[in-house]
Amino acid sequence: MHTYTNAFVVTVKESPNDAELVSHQLMIRAGLIKKMAAGVYTILPMGHRVFQKMIQIIRDEMNAIGSAECTLPVTIPADLWKKSGRWDKYGRELLRFVDRHDRPFCLGPTHEEVITDVVSAYVTSYKQLPMTLYQIHTKFRDEIRPRFGVMRSREFIMKDAYSFHDSAESLDATYAAMQQAYHRIFERCGLTVVAAQADSGAIGGNESVEFLVVAACGEDSVLVNTEAGFVANSEACPTLDPGIVHHVSVPPYAMIHTPNCPRITDICAYRGIQPNVCLKSILIMVNDAPIMLCLPGDRDINEAKIQRLVGAFRWATSAELTHYLGCSPGYVGPLNTEIPVWLDYGLKTQPHYTCGANQDDHHVVNVSPDRDIPHGQWADLKMAIAGDPCPSDPSVTVSALRGIEVGHVFKLGTTYSQAMDATFTNATGTRMPFIMGCYGIGVGRTVAACIEQCHDDNGLCWPAALAPFHVVILNLCPKNTDLDPIIQRLVAAIESWGYDVIVDNRPDSPGVKFNDADLLGFPYQIIVGRKTLDSGHIERKCRKTGETIGVSVTQMDVLKSYLN
RNA sequence: CGGGGUGUAGCGCAGUCCGGUUAGCGCACCUGUUUUGGGAACAGGGGGCCGCAAGUUCGAAUCUUGCUACCCCGACCA
């Protein structure tokens, strides 16, 4: 029999003041997790049960689409990561260390290299494809700033699946099946998710969809237009060419003196103009050669778009700025320079702009991009924001939502298989690299997102699918042994109906038990106490609605219909 | 990595400015009695390297310096 004593129920009244999110506070107060270091958590028994239920749902759905579970090592030799090229590219999120023989290793933040290595050792023919492997295991990413409990931790549990194919069509089929499975998984957890077009980021590849739980505390921003059926991560959302041609005549551009105006806000204040009529110029370095990016003064660069356009890049240093343009930061402009220039489509909106003059304390006014920057190439450079025209229907605009990224699917293509020389023989007898997909779900983050959606002032309020126990029996008079047989019969009956049940057997006062039961959020409470002895009735209370129903101990079977 | 803040009992905090009995409070914990349908009452009790180290001083939780951990904000957009 599960009791509060043996199940390690460790609730606390006050949560540490470093917990900001409701989900983080409640997970600590209910004794689900305990912090060990920044972004590193112990999952306590109550939390473990919730995680296991989540994991079992994921496992069911992964198995249902024919993928096979395995467990990949957390400790990965550097050589494998050097093969894919990521040992040098991944940066400091990758926790590296050496063993006693000074051999370099890393803790796996993701497992494309490992799985590619494993599969290429065994799969040599197209006849063995397609195939999908997955694991549900611990990952480590040395986040710049872990926060929000298990929502953004450094060590975390993730379901990651990898599929291998001999054709793009085959990948498409698995990619679609996986998304269907994701929708079923999140639905079974009681979560409402949106699927958004996303940027594939550090993983690489060419197409990806992100699954987000809409929540104010979400760290991701998505842009949506429901009528147009459009949902995209703001990082991945295109901005459109407005196609405006101006017919007003703009006077020739002219340099003006603008002392101490290095920032857009300075020049706006000095000239009495708005940021959207300023042209912001940014110098980047690609393979140590300068490239200039120009965009409207009120908009921000989208680094992912730049990377797609020019490849890997870095921001120019002040010294490089001075070397190539002869001015300090703040006075950069696209005129009179041999440096290649990219112009954001947004610069077609106004007939003319004010921009830096490549000379300290000077700007240029009346700059008409088409006329004055003929060497500039037009492109989409900026971050999309709410109010921009919707990419799938420019007659409407997009609005912004915050979301928690709980799942992500990617089409990797041959990025890893080519780098690692992982090949098979196809039907015509030629060797070709595997076409791959990869698919992740953050287990802890999904649990936390679920709590963000399911709680009230009294505590957690689990959906039946994730509750650590479906039913709690509150024994209000634990010293009265007359109640013991009733409780034993109840436990046996409830378990025979297929529900898990825990008994609060502590010698505390009733108020403590009611409050803890509410805090822990079991879907149903069964209350047994003096009233039971007096009247022969037990009570069943629904956590979510507060609805209470009395049931005679002589007719326990009717309880079954009140527990779902 | 830059800026700010905090480390005192298991948890939440006071005390630090202005050095001076035995370092306090609430919750939790232990013993006993009475309680027991929404965080019980009384009585008694235990628990501290005051983050670590060095320094100043007759004397340091308190002052100085260094280190460390944790939290918050920001992070190449000129």
Side-chain angles (χ1 to χ4, degrees), chain A residues 501-548:
Chain A
V501 55
I502 187 169
V503 180
D504 185 352
N505 60 338
R506 298 173 300 177
D508 292 301
S509 68
V512 174
K513 298 183 186 189
F514 286 124
N515 283 310
D516 273 353
D518 287 349
L519 172 62
L520 285 157
F522 307 112
Y524 294 102
Q525 301 169 8
I526 292 175
I527 299 143
V528 179
R530 173 148 294 164
K531 281 187 192 171
T532 308
L533 295 171
D534 292 347
S535 69
H537 280 71
I538 55 174
E539 275 171 43
R540 184 235 57 168
K541 184 181 167 188
C542 174
R543 171 66 178 84
K544 205 163 278 179
T545 63
E547 175 205 20
T548 297

Side-chain angles (χ1 to χ4, degrees), chain A residues 57-68 130-134 159 161-163 165 173-185 409 439:
Chain A
I57 291 170
I58 295 172
R59 183 174 283 139
D60 282 354
E61 297 297 340
M62 286 298 107
N63 293 345
I65 58 167
S67 72
M131 55 137 331
T132 305
L133 293 178
Y134 76 99
K159 185 284 298 183
Y162 306 87
S163 67
H165 309 271
T174 298
Y175 189 72
M178 195 61 78
Q179 291 190 54
Q180 290 309 309
Y182 275 32
H183 281 292
R184 284 193 295 274
I185 289 166
V409 296
Y439 319 89

Side-chain angles (χ1 to χ4, degrees), chain A residues 181-381:
Chain A
Y182 275 32
H183 281 292
R184 284 193 295 274
I185 289 166
F186 295 122
E187 192 185 330
R188 284 177 65 179
C189 299
L191 284 168
T192 310
V193 297
V194 296
Q197 295 173 36
D199 183 70
S200 45
I203 303 282
N206 35 39
E207 192 179 326
S208 97
V209 169
E210 209 172 69
F211 287 75
L212 300 121
V213 173
V214 176
C217 68
E219 294 185 274
D220 285 80
S221 166
V222 285
L223 296 172
V224 300
N225 185 294
T226 325
E227 308 148 45
F230 179 83
V231 187
N233 188 299
S234 54
E235 291 242 309
C237 183
T239 64
L240 303 177
D241 181 345
I244 300 171
V245 178
H246 298 282
H247 296 291
V248 295
S249 75
V250 178
Y253 67 78
M255 183 149 69
I256 55 165
H257 187 226
T258 53
N260 300 317
C261 290
R263 307 164 67 110
I264 295 285
T265 49
D266 300 329
I267 186 74
C268 285
Y270 185 77
R271 299 279 297 163
I273 55 177
Q274 293 302 309
N276 64 337
V277 299
C278 297
L279 183 152
K280 177 152 70 175
S281 308
I282 296 153
L283 197 66
I284 60 168
M285 303 298 289
V286 179
N287 298 324
D288 291 323
I291 289 180
M292 191 179 293
L293 308 174
C294 299
L295 63 159
D298 58 343
R299 302 299 292 256
D300 289 325
I301 285 273
N302 180 327
E303 293 183 33
K305 288 178 182 175
I306 305 307
Q307 185 144 1
R308 277 198 290 273
L309 198 63
V310 302
F313 72 98
R314 61 178 174 83
W315 309 104
T317 62
S318 294
E320 284 166 335
L321 220 83
T322 309
H323 177 254
Y324 289 110
L325 297 167
C327 67
S328 311
Y331 298 96
V332 175
L335 300 176
N336 303 317
T337 172
E338 299 297 307
I339 294 172
V341 173
W342 288 96
L343 300 166
D344 181 74
Y345 293 135
L347 292 171
K348 295 187 181 183
T349 315
Q350 303 294 330
H352 58 86
Y353 291 87
T354 298
C355 67
N358 291 329
Q359 184 180 332
D360 284 6
D361 294 333
H362 287 81
H363 279 77
V364 179
V365 298
N366 294 329
V367 175
S368 166
D370 266 331
R371 181 191 68 190
D372 300 328
I373 319 170
H375 58 299
Q377 290 179 269
W378 293 96
D380 175 15
L381 308 178

